[in-house]
Amino acid sequence: MNPAYDRLKARFARIGALGEAQSMLHWDAAAVMPPGGAAARGEQLATLAGLAHQLMTEPGMAADLAEAEAGGAWDGANLDLMRHAQARATALPGALVEASARANAACETVWREARAKSDFAQVRPFLEEVVRLQRETAAALSAVTGLTPYDSLMEGYQRGIGAGDVEPIFAAYEAFLVEALPQAEETQARQPAAREPAGPFATATQQALCREMAGRVGLDFAHARLDESLHPFCGGTPTDVRITTRYTPDSFAQALLGVLHETGHAMYERGLPLDFARQPVGEAAGMAAHESQSLIVEMQAARSDAFLSYLGRKLPEVFGEDPAYAPENLGRLWRRVERGFIRVDAGEISYPAHVILRFRLERALIGGELAVADLPGAWNEGFRRLLGREVPDDARGCLQDIHWHDGAFGYFPSYTLGAMAAAQLMQAVRAAVPDVDAALAEGDFAPLMGWLREKVHAQGSRLGFQDLLRHATGKPLDPSDFMAHLRSRYLAH
Amino acid sequence: MNPAYDRLKARFARIGALGEAQSMLHWDAAAVMPPGGAAARGEQLATLAGLAHQLMTEPGMAADLAEAEAGGAWDGANLDLMRHAQARATALPGALVEASARANAACETVWREARAKSDFAQVRPFLEEVVRLQRETAAALSAVTGLTPYDSLMEGYQRGIGAGDVEPIFAAYEAFLVEALPQAEETQARQPAAREPAGPFATATQQALCREMAGRVGLDFAHARLDESLHPFCGGTPTDVRITTRYTPDSFAQALLGVLHETGHAMYERGLPLDFARQPVGEAAGMAAHESQSLIVEMQAARSDAFLSYLGRKLPEVFGEDPAYAPENLGRLWRRVERGFIRVDAGEISYPAHVILRFRLERALIGGELAVADLPGAWNEGFRRLLGREVPDDARGCLQDIHWHDGAFGYFPSYTLGAMAAAQLMQAVRAAVPDVDAALAEGDFAPLMGWLREKVHAQGSRLGFQDLLRHATGKPLDPSDFMAHLRSRYLAH
């Protein structure tokens, strides 16, 4: 610790406060802003982003980084993360950042129309420009990170794991899927058909249930809000976290499971180390780590037999008696096996196949082995190989996701890395805290969340993805825990 | 117009966008933020304020200001306002700004407790420090503005009018009050007692009425929100304006009249010239000008005989029949004459007496003719002279307002300058637009707001307070219009 490090902490506190302001303004835009505020909001966000970049790249920052010293697990890691963030920010010429922002915005706009018409040709030149600039970005980052170009992009979403780790993990999953998916379908076919609960479900009742369940997971509404937005998300800051959901009168499942998912994200933010608020080491460890926390709540805990037994008693109290609330029926409803074309509707087993497809294609696009013009064909061929079905049109194929069309490359793996990490963490917590399922059967998340807070949340960004898993579970990411979970949930009946 | 002026426009656009972000975060804190977010919000706002100050005072700004040229009513005024804003910002040493912010925050905290206990001695040393720093601030500003120290503070709230203009106007009002207040009390005493409408009034019904009335004034909810907060206010930005109110089940008047007041503010923001968005000349012309717009809607239009006749038909449709909704009874309820101790509860005639008292005391505090220790005595003596009653305790005397205790000196005159300007503007609009009252009797604000938009809102900050009134009404502030309005409303019956 020396004066230069203290100055750096003050510099990053300002950058962090700008990030918090941006986060709040994003929440506002999605949850409450009247439509006429959009143009001014764009100016506000662009100004805050520009100032943050300016603070990160000003000459005094580089001088302080050159001079600073810090020891210990936390301050040492913080200084490393400062150096890394500044190196990434200064690696990119301002003209490239601006050109990317413009190209991404233009492509996203055209994509909305192209997807509606399933017209890949319309978006193709825009996506080509996006990919060209992403490749340039990846090359520039690679020069300072020492990673491959693709890994340099991926690192922007999740530090501490790269394509070299991911490829064998995904290959193992692909091999698993060949046998497991047909078996799971057979198992499902032998069971009675799932029965939909009879609605309508009043929005106010759904809201109250969602708030109560978020509270059971551990969310304290003195530091949180629950609102509505078109696309559910978790935003805000660690002491003021904002989650959103959507309510439809004919089903409460979307809102309830969505809120449980976002509450998992929110609990991670709430548990981050406040001593390092607005410092790099005080942030969450990345998008895969974040997804592990939403999925351990939504997929591991909330859809477990234990918690479904609790809901089987709870839901009739809230909505009135209905045979559909029997725990085994809730399991049939919320643990469907299918092989549809759309990622966001995919069941737990087939979801990783959607991610594996996108990971391989985006890696090839960034690596230059795949041309944008060949993307639809490559997509359809990959889908056939992974899930055995013919993609009927590009709207249900390579046009379905916003991600590439708004310039996000290297993000897709996070979904499945998070799902696998969630299973691995759940196995570890069951070994360490034997009463975790008994508590879930009473609607009590405290034993689970207590363990996660200590092992994951309170670690901030001190450790990269693989090291965080080693710290929490004794090993790096091991897909066999996820596969064991799937076998037990989908094949054992 | 030259490149330096173009660079300045870009600089001020960034400062303006930071101001918009601050405004949104203030709204969030007052209207929706969970309490646990307060500390982080303080960091965010302090960071944005610090960056705005940094942008205003950086060397390149001064260089561009020295070099810039701009002609025409709008760009010329914009450049003048830029120079003035930069001179005010650079006049204050950073240490003084920080010391003031700390002293204000400390004093405000102690004041909340001291007011509850009516204990002036407790807050006295804190207020002494606030005043000391305000005097230092006023002296530093005076050196660049060429105004007196007090006028330099006042200019921070309202440009284009100073204490030298205000003192004779307030003296005239004081003389008017000596005769008018007893006469108005006699007139009121001869009338039947006002009858309170029978509640309770459901919050949802009040909300719908308030939204409808705001819409009648002209507020477009594609660019606005109406929410709840402890202290009603108008915030946000010109294309995304946020007003708030409070609902109590036993009376709808507070919410309804409060919303009409805030809608007047909101319409001013909505009507500002968008071609100069985020430029100094595109802002509202000051706090007195702003208050004139809220009061012309709330006090001039909404409490006029014409609009009360409309409400006399409307309210029974909303809340059911009640003899209290007779227009003459609404007038007795909402146009009360009294001489209470509390400014915010004061009626239209006695309100200026509260402001005159504060104006004279704060001017003497800043001028050094009055010591903080002597404030309670001076307050009580002034109140006796102006309103003829003995102040029973400091909670109902010099401790009642937050303003001085959070460092706001020079703001108080704005309330009464606004009230007087509202009467003067109303007289001018009645002369220019003969059907304005006939429209109000149908619940239609369009003729009034059309005139205000052209004469006031669309002028932005191009003109100072007196010039704006000259432009709109042909003369500078003339208190006789306000007195004529009061005579007609309170003495003619």
Side-chain angles (χ1 to χ4, degrees):
Chain A
M1 258 73 78
N2 63 0
Y5 177 65
D6 289 338
R7 287 196 299 274
L8 286 172
K9 285 187 78 172
R11 289 179 185 279
F12 276 87
R14 293 178 94 192
I15 295 168
L18 282 180
E20 290 190 352
Q22 289 171 272
S23 180
M24 283 298 166
L25 293 174
H26 276 297
W27 171 84
D28 184 275
V32 298
M33 187 180 76
R41 182 58 42 87
E43 292 295 321
Q44 296 151 23
L45 288 169
T47 297
L48 296 181
L51 283 168
H53 187 259
Q54 190 177 320
L55 293 178
M56 188 71 96
T57 56
E58 64 189 3
M61 175 74 93
D64 283 341
L65 284 170
E67 206 184 304
E69 290 169 26
W74 285 92
D75 288 299
N78 199 32
L79 182 54
D80 288 346
L81 291 167
M82 287 171 171
R83 291 205 163 102
H84 200 67
Q86 193 262 1
R88 285 183 64 98
T90 51
L92 302 178
L96 175 57
V97 173
E98 276 178 43
S100 270
R102 265 195 304 275
N104 296 344
C107 184
E108 187 195 319
T109 303
V110 173
W111 164 76
R112 291 187 189 279
E113 201 182 318
R115 183 176 69 163
K117 298 189 298 186
S118 195
D119 181 1
F120 182 76
Q122 186 185 2
V123 82
R124 197 186 102 183
F126 295 89
L127 185 57
E128 281 170 343
E129 179 66 0
V130 166
V131 169
R132 188 183 72 74
L133 291 163
Q134 283 295 310
R135 294 185 65 197
E136 210 175 304
T137 300
L141 291 173
S142 176
V144 300
T145 61
L147 303 172
T148 66
Y150 178 78
D151 280 355
S152 298
L153 294 180
M154 193 174 157
E155 192 195 51
Y157 301 99
Q158 180 59 63
R159 193 173 56 95
I161 188 166
D165 302 304
V166 170
E167 185 50 54
I169 289 170
F170 283 5
Y173 194 83
E174 188 181 358
F176 163 81
L177 202 62
V178 173
E179 294 201 357
L181 186 54
Q183 286 178 24
E185 286 170 329
E186 279 170 40
T187 305
Q188 178 169 276
R190 286 196 303 270
Q191 293 178 353
R195 177 177 183 141
E196 282 290 342
F201 304 95
T203 298
T205 314
Q206 291 191 55
Q207 279 171 334
L209 174 66
C210 286
R211 278 182 75 91
E212 184 186 340
M213 291 301 119
R216 285 197 162 272
V217 176
L219 196 61
D220 169 5
F221 282 99
H223 288 280
R225 283 185 63 93
L226 168 60
D227 295 275
E228 293 178 58
S229 71
L230 191 60
H231 301 287
F233 71 104
C234 172
T237 71
T239 55
D240 181 4
V241 68
R242 310 275 173 108
I243 62 174
T244 69
T245 192
R246 283 176 73 177
Y247 301 99
T248 52
D250 51 318
S251 168
F252 64 86
Q254 187 190 23
L256 176 61
L257 295 168
V259 164
L260 287 163
H261 181 96
E262 302 307 335
T263 301
H265 283 306
M267 291 300 292
Y268 191 4
E269 291 291 314
R270 292 283 304 122
L272 290 170
L274 275 183
D275 288 351
F276 286 90
R278 290 176 284 278
Q279 295 296 314
V281 79
E283 294 170 4
M287 301 308 292
H290 235 304
E291 199 67 13
S292 79
Q293 297 307 294
S294 54
L295 291 176
I296 200 169
V297 172
E298 183 205 345
M299 302 304 286
Q300 295 290 326
R303 299 189 202 223
S304 69
D305 290 343
F307 191 71
L308 294 185
S309 75
Y310 165 76
L311 284 182
R313 302 191 301 280
K314 177 72 185 176
L315 293 174
E317 289 172 19
V318 175
F319 295 117
E321 295 290 337
D322 187 328
Y325 298 141
E328 52 281 10
N329 186 63
L330 294 176
R332 278 176 220 127
L333 279 168
W334 297 345
R335 304 190 306 213
R336 299 279 308 158
V337 180
E338 50 69 61
R339 50 175 93 198
F341 298 108
I342 302 299
R343 175 181 61 85
V344 296
D345 298 331
E348 197 176 7
I349 300 185
S350 56
Y351 197 110
H354 293 262
V355 169
I356 291 167
L357 172 63
R358 286 156 179 77
F359 163 69
R360 290 178 182 163
L361 294 174
E362 71 179 14
R363 210 178 159 200
L365 284 167
I366 296 301
E369 299 103 38
L370 176 64
V372 169
D374 299 326
L375 182 59
W379 180 289
N380 297 347
E381 185 193 325
F383 196 87
R384 189 184 310 121
R385 207 178 69 157
L386 281 156
L387 286 168
R389 293 185 68 190
E390 289 300 321
V391 174
D393 51 48
D394 291 333
R396 281 173 280 186
C398 67
L399 284 175
Q400 68 183 271
D401 288 311
I402 191 175
H403 297 59
W404 293 336
H405 303 93
D406 73 353
F409 285 80
Y411 177 61
F412 273 123
S414 299
Y415 292 113
T416 288
L417 297 178
M420 290 174 167
Q424 185 168 329
L425 289 165
M426 194 69 180
Q427 172 137 327
V429 68
R430 283 189 170 122
V433 186
D435 64 348
V436 66
D437 282 290
L440 287 173
E442 301 302 320
D444 176 9
F445 284 75
L448 170 62
M449 297 313 293
W451 188 88
L452 287 174
R453 177 158 284 212
E454 179 197 335
K455 299 290 184 183
V456 178
H457 307 173
Q459 302 303 317
S461 246
R462 193 171 66 83
L463 304 168
F465 185 72
Q466 295 282 44
D467 286 338
L468 181 63
L469 283 175
R470 271 190 204 98
H471 171 82
T473 71
K475 60 183 181 183
L477 187 65
D478 176 359
S480 63
D481 288 344
F482 183 53
M483 296 179 204
H485 155 74
L486 295 177
R487 276 195 199 94
S488 154
R489 180 170 283 179
Y490 296 96
L491 305 179
H493 299 277
Chain B
M1 256 73 76
N2 62 1
Y5 177 65
D6 288 339
R7 286 196 300 274
L8 286 172
K9 286 188 77 173
R11 289 180 185 279
F12 276 87
R14 291 179 95 193
I15 294 169
L18 282 180
E20 290 190 351
Q22 288 171 274
S23 180
M24 283 298 166
L25 293 173
H26 276 296
W27 170 85
D28 184 275
V32 299
M33 187 180 76
R41 181 58 44 86
E43 292 295 321
Q44 295 151 24
L45 288 169
T47 298
L48 296 181
L51 283 167
H53 188 259
Q54 191 176 319
L55 293 178
M56 189 71 95
T57 55
E58 63 188 4
M61 176 73 93
D64 283 340
L65 284 171
E67 204 183 307
E69 290 168 27
W74 284 93
D75 288 298
N78 198 32
L79 181 54
D80 288 345
L81 291 168
M82 288 171 171
R83 291 205 163 103
H84 200 67
Q86 193 262 2
R88 285 183 65 97
T90 51
L92 301 179
L96 175 58
V97 174
E98 276 179 42
S100 270
R102 264 195 304 275
N104 296 344
C107 184
E108 185 195 319
T109 304
V110 174
W111 164 76
R112 290 187 189 280
E113 202 182 315
R115 183 177 68 162
K117 297 190 300 185
S118 194
D119 182 0
F120 182 75
Q122 187 185 1
V123 81
R124 197 187 101 182
F126 295 90
L127 185 58
E128 281 169 344
E129 179 66 2
V130 166
V131 169
R132 189 182 72 74
L133 293 163
Q134 283 296 310
R135 294 185 65 196
E136 210 174 306
T137 300
L141 290 173
S142 175
V144 300
T145 61
L147 303 173
T148 67
Y150 178 78
D151 279 355
S152 298
L153 293 180
M154 195 175 156
E155 192 195 49
Y157 301 100
Q158 180 59 64
R159 194 171 55 93
I161 189 165
D165 303 303
V166 170
E167 185 48 55
I169 288 170
F170 282 6
Y173 193 83
E174 189 182 357
F176 164 79
L177 202 61
V178 172
E179 295 200 357
L181 186 54
Q183 286 179 23
E185 286 169 330
E186 279 171 41
T187 305
Q188 179 169 274
R190 285 197 302 271
Q191 294 178 352
R195 176 178 185 142
E196 283 290 341
F201 304 94
T203 299
T205 314
Q206 290 191 56
Q207 279 171 335
L209 175 65
C210 287
R211 278 181 75 90
E212 185 187 341
M213 291 301 118
R216 285 194 163 274
V217 178
L219 196 60
D220 168 5
F221 283 99
H223 288 281
R225 283 186 63 93
L226 167 60
D227 295 274
E228 292 178 60
S229 71
L230 191 58
H231 302 287
F233 71 104
C234 172
T237 71
T239 54
D240 180 3
V241 68
R242 310 275 173 108
I243 63 174
T244 70
T245 193
R246 284 177 73 178
Y247 301 99
T248 53
D250 51 319
S251 168
F252 64 86
Q254 187 189 24
L256 175 61
L257 295 168
V259 163
L260 287 163
H261 181 97
E262 302 308 335
T263 302
H265 284 305
M267 290 302 291
Y268 192 2
E269 291 291 314
R270 290 285 303 121
L272 291 170
L274 275 182
D275 287 351
F276 286 90
R278 291 177 284 280
Q279 295 296 314
V281 80
E283 294 171 1
M287 301 308 293
H290 235 304
E291 199 67 13
S292 78
Q293 297 308 294
S294 55
L295 291 176
I296 201 168
V297 173
E298 184 205 344
M299 302 304 285
Q300 296 290 327
R303 298 188 204 222
S304 68
D305 290 343
F307 191 70
L308 293 185
S309 75
Y310 165 76
L311 283 182
R313 301 190 302 279
K314 177 72 184 175
L315 293 174
E317 289 171 20
V318 175
F319 295 119
E321 296 290 339
D322 187 327
Y325 298 141
E328 53 281 11
N329 186 64
L330 294 176
R332 279 176 219 128
L333 279 168
W334 297 346
R335 305 191 304 213
R336 298 280 307 158
V337 180
E338 49 69 59
R339 51 175 93 199
F341 299 107
I342 301 299
R343 175 181 61 85
V344 297
D345 299 331
E348 197 177 7
I349 300 186
S350 56
Y351 197 109
H354 293 263
V355 169
I356 292 168
L357 173 63
R358 286 155 178 76
F359 163 68
R360 291 179 181 161
L361 294 174
E362 71 179 14
R363 209 179 160 199
L365 284 167
I366 296 302
E369 300 103 38
L370 176 65
V372 169
D374 299 327
L375 181 60
W379 180 289
N380 297 348
E381 186 193 324
F383 195 87
R384 189 184 312 122
R385 207 178 69 158
L386 281 156
L387 286 168
R389 293 185 69 190
E390 289 301 320
V391 174
D393 52 46
D394 292 333
R396 281 173 282 185
C398 67
L399 285 175
Q400 69 184 272
D401 287 312
I402 191 174
H403 299 58
W404 293 337
H405 302 93
D406 73 353
F409 286 80
Y411 177 61
F412 273 123
S414 300
Y415 292 114
T416 288
L417 297 178
M420 291 174 167
Q424 185 168 330
L425 290 165
M426 195 68 180
Q427 173 137 326
V429 69
R430 282 191 171 121
V433 187
D435 64 348
V436 66
D437 282 290
L440 287 173
E442 301 302 320
D444 177 9
F445 284 75
L448 171 62
M449 298 313 293
W451 188 89
L452 288 173
R453 177 158 287 211
E454 179 196 335
K455 299 289 183 183
V456 178
H457 307 172
Q459 302 303 319
S461 245
R462 193 170 66 82
L463 304 168
F465 184 71
Q466 296 282 44
D467 287 338
L468 182 63
L469 283 175
R470 270 190 205 96
H471 172 82
T473 71
K475 59 182 181 183
L477 187 64
D478 176 359
S480 64
D481 288 343
F482 184 53
M483 295 178 207
H485 154 73
L486 296 178
R487 276 197 199 91
S488 155
R489 180 171 284 180
Y490 295 97
L491 305 179
H493 300 277

